[in-house]
Amino acid sequence: MNGVRTSQEAVSVSLEDLRRDAVPFETLDHAFGPSSLGILIVRDLPSKFADLRLRVLSYASYLANLPPDDLEKLSCPTAKYLVGWSHGKEALKSGHYDTHKGSYYVNCAFYQDSSLQSTPSDDFPNFPEYTAPNIWPPETILPGFRKTLEELCNLINDTALLVARACDRYASAKIEDYEEGYLERVVKTSMTTKARLLHYFPPEPSVTSSISTPPTLNSDEDDDSWCATHVDHGCLTGLTSALYVDESTTPPTLPPSSANRPAPSTPESIPSLTTLPNSPDPLAGLYIHSRTSHTTKVTIPPDCLAFQTGEALEVITQGKFRAVPHFVRGPRPGIGQVGKVARNTLAVFTQPNLGEIIHSEVGTTFAEFARGVVRRHT
């Protein structure tokens, strides 16, 4: 996909218009149609969103900089590191393992029932990637982390429900035999929705600075130094804008944990980090391969959420809804003369329940589909 690179604003709609089913059909076509980017920005979110985003994405840096022993306790090898902390476990197309970012995975079954921390395992006893319970850091290590992350995930799921309803309106008019209300039902009833809190580590300094021959938006090759080109394998992905932190000036470190330290008597949270208004390198960030094969840099405003379609929805609709290939480009060494710049974001992947049929002709369930995805990347 070697189309011309452009920088483009994605289609945006207000939360209130989604609630009132008042988004014009033309707008949905611009967001998801054959010449679109396949992404929709939602603005005018609840007032608490900005603070939740700042706190959760600050936690990502604190989490990634915990001592190795603490991170090991937050990992789940039996779930192939798709629950809890994961770093250097994801296989890339090159056959190498991705060490550029760390991930913290959370099953969002609590959106259905606050007491649930995983997909029920009754019918899928050998699928710990989805059925293993969440692993939360003790309050003595990251006070307030669980409560804050669950609250933001629930807000994103609430918004995804409205976006799904709008997608259903568009699909019902454009896709023959589309099941009415399908995507809204998936988001509303899913026990498999998974969140991924991402920390992109500051790039290592390069011996040869790229300042002398800086790449441009019209470069032919993807510079996916922070995250390789991929598609999400769920139905609809909710994504926050990235938070950039210079960890050389605001180190995200906490005092060493102690088993003897009492847990706080009331909910607490750690200080939010001082952030950069954007990446010091204007070419760094999220890129999408559009439906017309152009490579486009997409900017998500910090007070908004973005939603894009994934691979499972492409299978379900027999290619009518296309998954969105995307990658993340890291900052070039020396650009902006800023020290150790990390990038944090949160993605929430809404997905069908494990037993749901997603390919009617061959009877493929989402569990079978997801196992194939896991095999490709672990």
Side-chain angles (χ1 to χ4, degrees):
M1 301 184 189
N2 291 326
V4 176
R5 294 178 185 270
T6 60
S7 184
Q8 180 176 338
E9 289 291 331
V11 174
S12 71
V13 298
S14 73
L15 183 66
E16 183 57 30
D17 280 349
L18 285 170
R19 284 174 174 154
R20 295 189 294 109
D21 292 329
V23 177
F25 192 85
E26 182 182 14
T27 300
L28 297 176
D29 193 53
H30 287 161
F32 299 113
S35 61
S36 71
L37 292 176
I39 190 169
L40 182 72
I41 304 292
V42 181
R43 63 180 187 272
D44 304 326
L45 297 169
S47 58
K48 65 180 180 179
F49 170 75
D51 179 61
L52 284 173
R53 170 186 169 271
L54 176 60
R55 287 161 56 198
V56 166
L57 299 189
S58 293
Y59 274 120
S61 281
Y62 284 111
L63 176 70
N65 285 277
L66 287 174
D69 286 350
D70 285 340
L71 289 173
E72 184 68 24
K73 293 173 185 175
L74 298 176
S75 301
C76 187
T78 59
K80 297 184 179 177
Y81 299 94
L82 293 175
V83 174
W85 174 251
S86 174
H87 178 226
K89 309 299 181 183
E90 180 181 358
L92 303 175
K93 289 184 297 184
S94 63
H96 295 91
Y97 285 89
D98 184 5
T99 58
H100 294 299
K101 63 180 179 293
S103 302
Y104 183 83
Y105 290 95
V106 174
N107 291 316
C108 295
F110 52 76
Y111 184 62
Q112 305 298 330
D113 181 335
S114 60
S115 68
L116 292 176
Q117 288 297 311
S118 68
T119 302
S121 61
D122 299 355
D123 297 325
F124 300 91
N126 300 312
F127 203 6
E129 294 90 336
Y130 280 92
T131 61
N134 289 326
I135 305 172
W136 295 104
E139 285 290 301
T140 53
I141 294 177
L142 284 182
F145 174 70
R146 174 176 174 175
K147 178 180 181 296
T148 308
L149 182 54
E150 286 186 341
E151 188 173 358
L152 181 55
C153 287
N154 285 341
L155 187 154
I156 294 173
N157 275 308
D158 284 342
T159 310
L161 194 61
L162 299 174
V163 174
R165 194 165 72 198
C167 288
D168 284 334
R169 281 180 54 221
Y170 175 78
S172 295
K174 288 287 189 177
I175 300 174
E176 187 177 357
D177 299 327
Y178 184 81
E179 179 187 328
E180 185 176 353
Y182 172 79
L183 195 52
E184 183 180 9
R185 177 176 62 80
V186 165
V187 176
K188 184 180 292 186
T189 65
S190 176
M191 295 283 198
T192 64
T193 291
K194 191 180 283 280
R196 185 180 188 183
L197 181 62
L198 290 145
H199 175 78
Y200 296 83
F201 291 95
E204 293 296 328
S206 176
V207 174
T208 303
S209 174
S210 60
I211 298 177
S212 57
T213 56
T216 69
L217 278 173
N218 290 325
S219 299
D220 286 335
E221 296 183 0
D222 294 348
D223 180 6
D224 51 6
S225 55
W226 252 345
C227 182
T229 300
H230 67 286
V231 296
D232 297 335
H233 77 268
C235 282
L236 192 65
T237 300
L239 186 66
T240 69
S241 67
L243 187 79
Y244 289 95
V245 180
D246 180 3
E247 295 184 349
S248 65
T249 59
T250 55
T253 55
L254 296 169
S257 61
S258 169
N260 297 321
R261 188 194 314 159
S265 56
T266 57
E268 297 181 11
S269 62
I270 57 177
S272 297
L273 296 174
T274 302
T275 65
L276 302 174
N278 44 51
S279 171
D281 181 354
L283 296 188
L286 174 67
Y287 286 78
I288 283 177
H289 291 299
S290 75
R291 281 141 164 78
T292 55
S293 298
H294 287 76
T295 303
T296 303
K297 185 176 186 291
V298 175
T299 300
I300 306 170
D303 58 350
C304 298
L305 286 168
F307 291 86
Q308 62 189 32
T309 49
E311 190 176 6
L313 190 61
E314 181 173 325
V315 171
I316 291 159
T317 62
Q318 300 179 8
K320 303 299 192 303
F321 261 124
R322 297 282 300 280
V324 180
H326 54 285
F327 65 92
V328 180
R329 182 181 203 161
R332 293 163 288 163
I335 297 295
Q337 299 181 345
V338 173
K340 298 171 58 180
V341 177
R343 177 184 189 269
N344 300 331
T345 190
L346 175 67
V348 175
F349 309 100
T350 65
Q351 301 170 144
N353 285 316
L354 293 176
E356 182 149 351
I357 301 293
I358 66 167
H359 198 311
S360 57
E361 291 185 2
V362 296
T364 303
T365 65
F366 181 70
E368 293 166 328
F369 172 78
R371 286 184 197 276
V373 173
V374 171
R375 281 194 297 270
R376 293 201 304 266
H377 296 289
T378 57

